[in-house]
mmCIF file of all heavy atoms in Angstrom:
data_model
loop_
_atom_site.group_PDB
_atom_site.id
_atom_site.type_symbol
_atom_site.label_atom_id
_atom_site.label_comp_id
_atom_site.label_asym_id
_atom_site.label_seq_id
_atom_site.Cartn_x
_atom_site.Cartn_y
_atom_site.Cartn_z
ATOM 1 N N PHE A 1 -36.560 -1.896 3.098
ATOM 2 C CA PHE A 1 -37.340 -3.163 2.754
ATOM 3 C C PHE A 1 -38.297 -2.881 1.475
ATOM 4 O O PHE A 1 -38.379 -3.803 0.760
ATOM 5 C CB PHE A 1 -38.262 -3.609 3.975
ATOM 6 C CG PHE A 1 -39.081 -4.781 3.796
ATOM 7 C CD1 PHE A 1 -38.450 -5.997 3.790
ATOM 8 C CD2 PHE A 1 -40.475 -4.705 3.575
ATOM 9 C CE1 PHE A 1 -39.186 -7.131 3.650
ATOM 10 C CE2 PHE A 1 -41.203 -5.873 3.425
ATOM 11 C CZ PHE A 1 -40.624 -7.068 3.470
ATOM 12 N N SER A 2 -38.776 -1.732 1.369
ATOM 13 C CA SER A 2 -39.598 -1.394 0.197
ATOM 14 C C SER A 2 -38.709 -1.481 -1.092
ATOM 15 O O SER A 2 -39.353 -1.618 -2.140
ATOM 16 C CB SER A 2 -40.209 -0.006 0.399
ATOM 17 O OG SER A 2 -39.217 0.949 0.494
ATOM 18 N N SER A 3 -37.446 -1.423 -0.974
ATOM 19 C CA SER A 3 -36.652 -1.555 -2.146
ATOM 20 C C SER A 3 -36.006 -2.873 -2.374
ATOM 21 O O SER A 3 -35.037 -3.029 -3.034
ATOM 22 C CB SER A 3 -35.505 -0.496 -2.044
ATOM 23 O OG SER A 3 -35.894 0.785 -1.874
ATOM 24 N N ALA A 4 -36.610 -3.948 -1.619
ATOM 25 C CA ALA A 4 -36.112 -5.218 -1.651
ATOM 26 C C ALA A 4 -34.535 -5.193 -1.228
ATOM 27 O O ALA A 4 -33.819 -5.895 -1.710
ATOM 28 C CB ALA A 4 -36.224 -5.949 -2.947
ATOM 29 N N GLY A 5 -34.212 -4.381 -0.178
ATOM 30 C CA GLY A 5 -32.815 -4.191 0.178
ATOM 31 C C GLY A 5 -32.218 -5.401 0.884
ATOM 32 O O GLY A 5 -32.903 -6.382 1.176
ATOM 33 N N ALA A 6 -30.880 -5.297 0.985
ATOM 34 C CA ALA A 6 -30.187 -6.386 1.643
ATOM 35 C C ALA A 6 -30.595 -6.570 3.038
ATOM 36 O O ALA A 6 -30.626 -5.649 3.804
ATOM 37 C CB ALA A 6 -28.683 -6.060 1.558
ATOM 38 N N ARG A 7 -30.915 -7.781 3.523
ATOM 39 C CA ARG A 7 -31.354 -8.084 4.800
ATOM 40 C C ARG A 7 -31.141 -9.586 5.098
ATOM 41 O O ARG A 7 -31.159 -10.336 4.251
ATOM 42 C CB ARG A 7 -32.839 -7.726 5.032
ATOM 43 C CG ARG A 7 -33.767 -8.431 4.082
ATOM 44 C CD ARG A 7 -35.169 -7.706 3.839
ATOM 45 N NE ARG A 7 -35.978 -8.571 3.020
ATOM 46 C CZ ARG A 7 -35.942 -8.604 1.720
ATOM 47 N NH1 ARG A 7 -35.087 -7.864 0.990
ATOM 48 N NH2 ARG A 7 -36.782 -9.382 1.023
ATOM 49 N N HIS A 8 -31.008 -9.857 6.397
ATOM 50 C CA HIS A 8 -30.674 -11.204 6.849
ATOM 51 C C HIS A 8 -31.483 -11.567 8.057
ATOM 52 O O HIS A 8 -31.690 -10.720 8.949
ATOM 53 C CB HIS A 8 -29.210 -11.356 7.186
ATOM 54 C CG HIS A 8 -28.260 -11.241 6.048
ATOM 55 N ND1 HIS A 8 -27.452 -12.182 5.505
ATOM 56 C CD2 HIS A 8 -27.953 -10.088 5.235
ATOM 57 C CE1 HIS A 8 -26.739 -11.725 4.558
ATOM 58 N NE2 HIS A 8 -27.040 -10.528 4.366
ATOM 59 N N GLY A 9 -32.001 -12.823 8.123
ATOM 60 C CA GLY A 9 -32.564 -13.270 9.345
ATOM 61 C C GLY A 9 -31.376 -13.506 10.350
ATOM 62 O O GLY A 9 -30.356 -14.156 9.973
ATOM 63 N N ILE A 10 -31.577 -13.002 11.592
ATOM 64 C CA ILE A 10 -30.440 -13.050 12.527
ATOM 65 C C ILE A 10 -30.310 -14.485 13.096
ATOM 66 O O ILE A 10 -31.289 -15.005 13.680
ATOM 67 C CB ILE A 10 -30.646 -12.011 13.665
ATOM 68 C CG1 ILE A 10 -30.540 -10.579 13.101
ATOM 69 C CG2 ILE A 10 -29.584 -12.207 14.871
ATOM 70 C CD1 ILE A 10 -30.849 -9.472 14.003
ATOM 71 N N THR A 11 -29.036 -15.025 12.962
ATOM 72 C CA THR A 11 -28.745 -16.328 13.596
ATOM 73 C C THR A 11 -27.482 -16.168 14.272
ATOM 74 O O THR A 11 -26.991 -15.049 14.574
ATOM 75 C CB THR A 11 -28.646 -17.356 12.485
ATOM 76 O OG1 THR A 11 -27.642 -17.026 11.625
ATOM 77 C CG2 THR A 11 -29.979 -17.527 11.676
ATOM 78 N N ASP A 12 -26.810 -17.240 14.608
ATOM 79 C CA ASP A 12 -25.416 -17.173 15.270
ATOM 80 C C ASP A 12 -24.359 -16.638 14.309
ATOM 81 O O ASP A 12 -23.407 -16.166 14.733
ATOM 82 C CB ASP A 12 -25.019 -18.525 15.746
ATOM 83 C CG ASP A 12 -25.960 -18.989 16.936
ATOM 84 O OD1 ASP A 12 -26.546 -18.169 17.598
ATOM 85 O OD2 ASP A 12 -26.065 -20.206 17.121
ATOM 86 N N LEU A 13 -24.558 -16.787 12.978
ATOM 87 C CA LEU A 13 -23.596 -16.335 12.043
ATOM 88 C C LEU A 13 -23.612 -14.855 11.837
ATOM 89 O O LEU A 13 -24.643 -14.259 11.563
ATOM 90 C CB LEU A 13 -23.944 -16.973 10.652
ATOM 91 C CG LEU A 13 -22.922 -16.680 9.521
ATOM 92 C CD1 LEU A 13 -21.598 -17.176 9.775
ATOM 93 C CD2 LEU A 13 -23.500 -17.294 8.204
ATOM 94 N N LYS A 14 -22.407 -14.175 12.059
ATOM 95 C CA LYS A 14 -22.385 -12.736 11.932
ATOM 96 C C LYS A 14 -20.899 -12.316 11.736
ATOM 97 O O LYS A 14 -19.966 -13.050 11.843
ATOM 98 C CB LYS A 14 -22.926 -12.149 13.314
ATOM 99 C CG LYS A 14 -22.120 -12.554 14.537
ATOM 100 C CD LYS A 14 -22.816 -11.937 15.795
ATOM 101 C CE LYS A 14 -22.093 -12.574 17.029
ATOM 102 N NZ LYS A 14 -22.861 -12.006 18.224
ATOM 103 N N LEU A 15 -20.861 -10.938 11.329
ATOM 104 C CA LEU A 15 -19.525 -10.292 11.124
ATOM 105 C C LEU A 15 -19.294 -9.511 12.443
ATOM 106 O O LEU A 15 -20.138 -8.711 12.881
ATOM 107 C CB LEU A 15 -19.577 -9.390 9.987
ATOM 108 C CG LEU A 15 -19.663 -10.015 8.543
ATOM 109 C CD1 LEU A 15 -19.984 -9.024 7.533
ATOM 110 C CD2 LEU A 15 -18.326 -10.684 8.235
ATOM 111 N N GLY A 16 -18.145 -9.721 13.038
ATOM 112 C CA GLY A 16 -17.864 -9.058 14.249
ATOM 113 C C GLY A 16 -18.521 -9.633 15.476
ATOM 114 O O GLY A 16 -19.066 -10.734 15.411
ATOM 115 N N THR A 17 -18.756 -8.866 16.465
ATOM 116 C CA THR A 17 -19.404 -9.342 17.734
ATOM 117 C C THR A 17 -20.778 -8.841 18.027
ATOM 118 O O THR A 17 -21.527 -9.357 18.784
ATOM 119 C CB THR A 17 -18.514 -9.088 18.897
ATOM 120 O OG1 THR A 17 -18.343 -7.732 19.074
ATOM 121 C CG2 THR A 17 -17.168 -9.717 18.820
ATOM 122 N N VAL A 18 -21.185 -7.697 17.245
ATOM 123 C CA VAL A 18 -22.466 -7.042 17.521
ATOM 124 C C VAL A 18 -23.236 -7.184 16.337
ATOM 125 O O VAL A 18 -22.878 -6.954 15.211
ATOM 126 C CB VAL A 18 -22.241 -5.629 17.884
ATOM 127 C CG1 VAL A 18 -23.546 -4.884 18.161
ATOM 128 C CG2 VAL A 18 -21.270 -5.475 19.191
ATOM 129 N N ILE A 19 -24.525 -7.543 16.539
ATOM 130 C CA ILE A 19 -25.500 -7.471 15.508
ATOM 131 C C ILE A 19 -26.834 -7.043 16.149
ATOM 132 O O ILE A 19 -27.275 -7.453 17.227
ATOM 133 C CB ILE A 19 -25.790 -8.879 14.788
ATOM 134 C CG1 ILE A 19 -26.618 -8.737 13.583
ATOM 135 C CG2 ILE A 19 -26.113 -9.910 15.707
ATOM 136 C CD1 ILE A 19 -26.724 -10.067 12.743
ATOM 137 N N ASP A 20 -27.599 -6.108 15.442
ATOM 138 C CA ASP A 20 -28.794 -5.719 16.055
ATOM 139 C C ASP A 20 -29.973 -5.818 15.044
ATOM 140 O O ASP A 20 -29.721 -5.777 13.744
ATOM 141 C CB ASP A 20 -28.721 -4.208 16.590
ATOM 142 C CG ASP A 20 -28.309 -3.262 15.551
ATOM 143 O OD1 ASP A 20 -28.241 -3.598 14.343
ATOM 144 O OD2 ASP A 20 -27.960 -2.161 15.916
ATOM 145 N N GLY A 21 -31.167 -6.069 15.524
ATOM 146 C CA GLY A 21 -32.338 -6.272 14.678
ATOM 147 C C GLY A 21 -33.241 -5.116 14.626
ATOM 148 O O GLY A 21 -33.299 -4.330 15.519
ATOM 149 N N GLU A 22 -33.873 -4.921 13.429
ATOM 150 C CA GLU A 22 -34.843 -3.879 13.220
ATOM 151 C C GLU A 22 -35.840 -4.313 12.211
ATOM 152 O O GLU A 22 -35.540 -5.180 11.450
ATOM 153 C CB GLU A 22 -34.157 -2.569 12.871
ATOM 154 C CG GLU A 22 -33.272 -2.725 11.538
ATOM 155 C CD GLU A 22 -31.820 -2.803 11.891
ATOM 156 O OE1 GLU A 22 -31.407 -2.414 12.959
ATOM 157 O OE2 GLU A 22 -31.102 -3.440 11.025
ATOM 158 N N THR A 23 -36.977 -3.658 12.207
ATOM 159 C CA THR A 23 -38.070 -3.984 11.191
ATOM 160 C C THR A 23 -37.980 -3.203 9.969
ATOM 161 O O THR A 23 -38.681 -3.420 9.049
ATOM 162 C CB THR A 23 -39.359 -3.808 11.868
ATOM 163 O OG1 THR A 23 -39.546 -2.425 12.232
ATOM 164 C CG2 THR A 23 -39.643 -4.695 13.030
ATOM 165 N N GLU A 24 -36.941 -2.282 9.871
ATOM 166 C CA GLU A 24 -36.781 -1.476 8.672
ATOM 167 C C GLU A 24 -35.346 -0.965 8.738
ATOM 168 O O GLU A 24 -34.817 -0.646 9.875
ATOM 169 C CB GLU A 24 -37.744 -0.365 8.612
ATOM 170 C CG GLU A 24 -37.532 0.579 7.347
ATOM 171 C CD GLU A 24 -37.627 -0.138 6.007
ATOM 172 O OE1 GLU A 24 -36.587 -0.790 5.682
ATOM 173 O OE2 GLU A 24 -38.612 0.006 5.280
ATOM 174 N N ALA A 25 -34.650 -0.748 7.578
ATOM 175 C CA ALA A 25 -33.353 -0.220 7.529
ATOM 176 C C ALA A 25 -33.388 1.266 7.928
ATOM 177 O O ALA A 25 -34.362 1.987 7.690
ATOM 178 C CB ALA A 25 -32.734 -0.411 6.090
#
């Protein structure tokens, strides 16, 4: 996040079947 890294707000749209959320990469 400090590097303005790639990140997405989690919605129904995803790749594959699993997506997990975190506050930092």
Side-chain angles (χ1 to χ4, degrees):
F1 183 72
S2 60
S3 304
R7 59 202 185 278
H8 294 247
I10 295 177
T11 62
D12 292 336
L13 179 62
K14 58 187 176 182
L15 291 167
T17 59
V18 179
I19 184 171
D20 53 15
E22 55 262 338
T23 58
E24 178 58 285

